[in-house]
Amino acid sequence: MHGNPLYHWIALGIASVLLLPLSTAILRGWVPPWMRNRTGGLRLRAFGLLCLYAGTPANGVPRLADASYNTVMAGIAVGIGCSALAGLLFILAAGKDARVPR
């Protein structure tokens, strides 16, 4: 019912290795080289990356735990909400970057 657990472990691993350290580093003040010309919405982007990360365990952990159907569906809803919030934060970051003079 929940698919192959290997895929969920891979998604959790990739998200933990890529999204979590990058967003934490940005929030602590480090700016990646490819974002140095867009610093207006940097914190919003970091929070957007954290939202993307939060959606991964919210969606994967109930499946890995072989939870009930309703719990898995609630996890999917939380994951979709996290993705939507991340998209909104990325849009707000782009708007904030557009207002900052170069």
Side-chain angles (χ1 to χ4, degrees), residues 51-101:
C51 286
L52 284 179
Y53 173 75
T56 305
N59 197 4
V61 170
R63 295 169 189 263
L64 289 171
D66 201 27
S68 68
Y69 175 78
N70 290 333
T71 305
V72 171
M73 294 308 286
I76 290 172
V78 170
I80 290 171
C82 288
S83 297
L85 181 59
L88 177 65
L89 288 170
F90 291 143
I91 290 171
L92 290 173
K96 196 169 182 180
D97 284 342
R99 289 189 299 267
V100 172

Side-chain angles (χ1 to χ4, degrees), residues 7-25 49-50 52-58 61 64:
Y7 298 134
H8 302 294
W9 282 115
I10 290 171
L12 280 171
I14 290 173
S16 296
V17 167
L18 295 178
L19 297 176
L20 193 57
L22 180 63
S23 60
T24 306
L49 288 173
L50 282 176
L52 284 179
Y53 173 75
T56 305
V61 170
L64 289 171

Side-chain angles (χ1 to χ4, degrees), residues 31-44:
V31 180
W34 64 88
M35 289 185 172
R36 296 220 167 123
N37 59 352
R38 299 179 292 170
T39 57
L42 203 56
R43 289 184 61 85
L44 291 172

